[in-house]
Amino acid sequence: MARELNIKESLNIINELGEIAAWTITQSGDVWWCDALYDLYDIEKGSPKTTLEAFQNRVYPPDLDKFNSIINKAVSNLMPFVVEVRISISYKYQWVRICGKPDGRGGLIGCTQNINNMYQNARKNMQTLKVLEALILGNGASIDDLKKVLKDE
């Protein structure tokens, strides 16, 4: 048991440094989350809500079928998976990347990363490119439009 605690403590430190959050799900459905995952999902540490079903309830409904399909395929075929979905956190949807693989004992082990900033930056870059294109082509955009896009966070 002491070795298990050391591994979990080490994972929590790694999770803090790498801005990722580790998790495991056993074949029987028992779930372990590192401390960072509670923070990411805005759930009180030690909450009885740490189940696969509780997580599925946080997945944005249009993303749920994709999430379930990928997880089921990974478990059935004993293969690693990566899925990006939106989850509900504090009444807002945020993007997360979930990576995992079968643990060899009928369960899954993996990590979750908050990639919301990456998506927001990509959206802002696309808006900037559209305004620049309109400026270059003379399609009605102005320098003020560009300043506005660049100023918006």
Side-chain angles (χ1 to χ4, degrees), residues 8 13 22 31 59 78 90 102 108 126 136:
K8 289 181 180 179
I13 292 167
V31 175
V59 174
L78 301 174
S90 301
L108 296 171
M126 289 303 298
I136 291 167

Side-chain angles (χ1 to χ4, degrees), residues 1 5 43 86:
M1 185 70 164
L5 291 175
I43 293 177
R86 291 162 286 183

Side-chain angles (χ1 to χ4, degrees), residues 5-104:
L5 291 175
N6 288 337
I7 290 170
K8 289 181 180 179
E9 288 171 6
S10 296
L11 280 173
N12 282 327
I13 292 167
I14 291 167
N15 295 152
E16 282 180 38
L17 295 173
E19 297 183 25
I20 59 172
W23 51 264
T24 62
I25 302 172
T26 65
Q27 184 177 20
S28 63
D30 294 332
V31 175
W32 173 81
W33 285 1
C34 72
D35 293 346
L37 203 53
Y38 288 97
D39 294 339
L40 175 62
Y41 294 146
D42 196 26
I43 293 177
E44 185 177 329
K45 187 176 174 186
S47 170
K49 296 180 182 178
T50 56
T51 64
L52 180 58
E53 292 79 20
F55 174 76
Q56 288 169 317
N57 289 336
R58 287 185 172 269
V59 174
Y60 184 55
D63 295 348
L64 188 57
D65 286 342
K66 173 177 78 169
F67 173 78
N68 287 333
S69 173
I70 289 171
I71 298 298
N72 291 335
K73 185 177 179 181
V75 171
S76 298
N77 297 318
L78 301 174
M79 57 189 268
F81 68 92
V82 176
V83 61
E84 294 178 359
V85 295
R86 291 162 286 183
I87 58 170
S88 174
I89 301 173
S90 301
Y91 304 103
K92 295 185 288 187
Y93 287 103
Q94 295 192 31
W95 284 95
V96 294
R97 177 180 293 130
I98 304 165
C99 306
K101 68 176 193 169
D103 65 5

Side-chain angles (χ1 to χ4, degrees), residues 120-134:
Q120 288 176 344
N121 290 339
R123 190 181 82 237
K124 184 173 180 141
N125 289 343
M126 289 303 298
Q127 291 171 335
T128 303
L129 287 173
K130 285 180 184 178
V131 172
L132 285 172
E133 180 183 31

